[in-house]
Amino acid sequence: MINIELNNYEDAFNKFNKEELSEELANYIFEIAKQISLDEISITIKGEFDEEKQSELESLIRRYYRKKTVLFNRNDKYDGIFKMTFALIGIILINVSIHVHDLLGELFLIAGSVAIWEVVGDFLFEIMKRKREKNIYTRLSRCNISFED
């Protein structure tokens, strides 16, 4: 459970764009969500707000994390294209190194190996981190949001 105490309704909003969630509040919610089980994510907002303001706050939070999820998916798509390109370049460089038998061939082999290991390293270590973050954004966009006086 994520507890938020809002003394002022305006504190929830970005000071430059009143249609977006405050970056400070969004980061606080996300950091707490990383520390708890995904099944336990729920938000409780403490403050005296009428039903209209409660509805606006709930909509603001859901919209913010839905937008983050969409951006995350878009970035993953382009990142996947980049990784495939990098792996293809690595394979081509290694194949070229087989046919060149001097110092240049060794350089192509090293460059190709580095390119492929970059993709493998990203696959082994970064994908799990990004998947967890994406799951948190998705859960936050769907979580139960309640209000207390």
Side-chain angles (χ1 to χ4, degrees):
M1 177 183 287
I2 302 169
N3 293 312
I4 300 169
E5 189 167 327
L6 283 177
N7 297 324
N8 183 358
Y9 175 72
E10 298 296 319
D11 290 344
F13 295 91
N14 184 315
K15 64 183 177 181
F16 301 109
N17 184 352
K18 297 298 181 190
E19 295 181 9
E20 289 189 12
L21 188 64
S22 157
E23 200 65 36
E24 185 178 11
L25 179 57
N27 288 337
Y28 170 77
I29 292 171
F30 183 75
E31 289 302 317
I32 298 297
K34 284 188 344 187
Q35 299 171 14
I36 60 179
S37 169
L38 290 178
D39 297 331
E40 298 175 8
I41 293 180
S42 66
I43 298 173
T44 302
I45 300 174
K46 296 178 185 175
E48 296 183 25
F49 306 113
D50 60 26
E51 284 188 34
E52 181 181 335
K53 287 184 178 181
Q54 288 178 1
S55 176
E56 286 178 21
L57 284 171
E58 185 175 345
S59 174
L60 179 72
I61 291 169
R62 292 189 192 291
R63 188 172 57 242
Y64 178 85
Y65 288 109
R66 261 189 243 118
K67 182 178 171 183
K68 282 286 202 183
T69 303
V70 167
L71 289 173
F72 219 85
N73 287 336
R74 187 179 306 148
N75 288 342
D76 273 353
K77 176 184 171 187
Y78 292 122
D79 197 42
I81 293 169
F82 175 75
K83 282 186 265 187
M84 293 300 284
T85 305
F86 215 53
L88 183 62
I89 289 171
I91 291 168
I92 290 170
L93 288 173
I94 290 173
N95 281 330
V96 168
S97 75
I98 293 170
H99 301 292
V100 179
H101 299 289
D102 58 0
L103 180 62
L104 191 58
E106 293 295 320
L107 291 174
F108 282 142
L109 178 63
I110 292 169
S113 298
V114 168
I116 289 175
W117 277 111
E118 186 68 29
V119 173
V120 170
D122 187 60
F123 182 75
L124 292 175
F125 302 112
E126 292 297 319
I127 283 182
M128 297 309 288
K129 178 182 172 187
R130 285 196 305 266
K131 185 176 180 181
R132 170 109 170 110
E133 287 179 5
K134 180 181 170 184
N135 284 340
I136 291 171
Y137 287 136
T138 302
R139 292 289 177 108
L140 285 170
S141 71
R142 297 176 183 162
C143 75
N144 181 42
I145 300 174
S146 58
F147 294 87
E148 293 180 0
D149 290 335

